[in-house]
Structure formats: C-alpha cells, structure tokens
C-alpha cells in the first residue's frame, strides 16, 4: 500500500471521506456533530497529534498546568492537526486560543480540532488558522482542566 500525501485529500468532502472510512470498517471516525469550524472556508488535512483533557477543580502545588500541552505544540511539524479531546460539550474547558494557534501555525501545523471551547476567536480568525471547536468561551484551562496524556487514541 502506498502512503497518501495528505494534501491529496483536501478536495474531498468530509461526507465522502466518512463514507470511505465506513466502507473500510472504520466507523465512528467523524467529528462529533456539535464541533464546528471557526471559518467555514477552512479545510484541514494531516496527521493527528492528540491531547486528552480531564476536568480539574484546583491547581496542584507547584504544578505547571500547561506543561503537557506546550510539549505537544512544541513538537508539531508541518501538516500535523492538533486534536484535543475534552469529553465535550463542555462549559469549563477551553484548551485552545491565540497563543497556541500562533505557535502551531509557525510550526506549519494544519489546524486544531477540539470538542472543548476555544477563546481569542477574533485573533485566530485574523491569523487565518483553521480551528474546529465545540464552543466559544473565555475560560482558560488553568484550575479547570489539565491535559493528562498526549498522542493517545481520543474521540473528539
């Protein structure tokens, strides 16, 4: 089997790709229905780099609440898609915003998908970075959630 260049998939719709996955027996591979793009013009294709979030209700003593997510973003390369699972819909967890969008874009990432909230929407739209989200809210993850693992299987 020959490897496919992700850019070859861009012309295909998500419905067609979903049908292809179903025919291969790979069901439940589509995003949750409430996950929507910040900008309908955007399409992203690439290799997933995942992060798994769990709710938190306080900071731990001496904890850097951003350590795991920063390590994930620092390790991005061209055509990676960041996929952040927050068990959404959620009203508390906004793992993505302007700073991570900027860092991901500089590294050549294709975009971000999260079933959590996003913040800094105006700035992300201005930088023309593809983000699909489960809602919009101003909350930071600090003291509300923590990324507990990365590069693991997630549903988003």
């Amino acid at each position: 089997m020959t490897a496919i260049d992700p850019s070859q998939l861009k012309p295909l719709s998500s419905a067609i790709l979903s049908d292809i996955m179903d025919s291969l027996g790979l069901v439940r591979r589509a995003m949750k229905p409430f996950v929507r793009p910040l900008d309908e013009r955007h399409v992203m294709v690439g290799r997933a780099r995942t992060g798994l979030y769990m709710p938190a209700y306080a900071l731990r003593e001496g904890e850097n609440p951003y350590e795991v997510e920063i390590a994930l973003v620092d390790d991005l390369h061209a055509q990676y898609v960041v996929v952040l699972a927050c068990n959404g819909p959620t009203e508390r967890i906004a793992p993505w915003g302007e700073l991570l969008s900027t860092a991901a874009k500089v590294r050549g990432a294709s975009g971000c998908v999260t079933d959590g909230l996003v913040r800094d929407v105006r700035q992300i739209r201005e930088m023309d970075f593809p983000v699909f989200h489960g809602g919009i809210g101003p909350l930071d993850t600090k003291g509300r959630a923590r990324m507990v693992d990365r590069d693991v299987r997630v549903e988003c």
Side-chain angles (χ1 to χ4, degrees), residues 51-97:
L52 177 63
Y53 282 81
M54 298 298 289
Y57 299 95
L59 285 175
R60 297 176 182 155
E61 181 82 27
E63 174 186 27
N64 175 355
Y66 310 112
E67 183 175 4
V68 181
E69 63 192 28
I70 288 172
L72 175 74
V73 172
D74 283 348
D75 195 34
L76 291 176
H77 299 288
Q79 295 186 331
Y80 280 159
V81 175
V82 179
V83 180
L84 303 177
C86 303
N87 198 29
T90 177
E91 296 176 0
R92 294 176 37 97
I93 304 172
W96 199 260

Side-chain angles (χ1 to χ4, degrees), residues 58-136:
L59 285 175
R60 297 176 182 155
E61 181 82 27
E63 174 186 27
N64 175 355
Y66 310 112
E67 183 175 4
V68 181
E69 63 192 28
I70 288 172
L72 175 74
V73 172
D74 283 348
D75 195 34
L76 291 176
H77 299 288
Q79 295 186 331
Y80 280 159
V81 175
V82 179
V83 180
L84 303 177
C86 303
N87 198 29
T90 177
E91 296 176 0
R92 294 176 37 97
I93 304 172
W96 199 260
E98 176 187 18
L99 295 176
L100 293 180
S101 293
T102 300
K105 185 172 183 169
V106 165
R107 288 163 176 78
S110 296
C112 174
V113 175
T114 181
D115 61 356
L117 306 175
V118 294
R119 48 191 267 150
D120 309 319
V121 170
R122 181 175 43 83
Q123 295 89 340
I124 296 170
R125 285 181 177 146
E126 286 173 359
M127 73 175 69
D128 204 33
F129 188 72
V131 174
F132 285 60
H133 62 89
I136 296 170

Side-chain angles (χ1 to χ4, degrees), residues 24 27 37 127 144-145 152:
L24 296 172
V27 297
M127 73 175 69
R144 294 179 184 89
V152 295

Side-chain angles (χ1 to χ4, degrees), residues 5 23 28 38 49 64 72 83-85 100 104 111 129 150 154:
D5 177 359
S23 71
R28 297 183 57 184
L38 277 180
R49 294 296 308 275
N64 175 355
L72 175 74
V83 180
L84 303 177
L100 293 180
F129 188 72
R150 64 184 181 124
V154 299

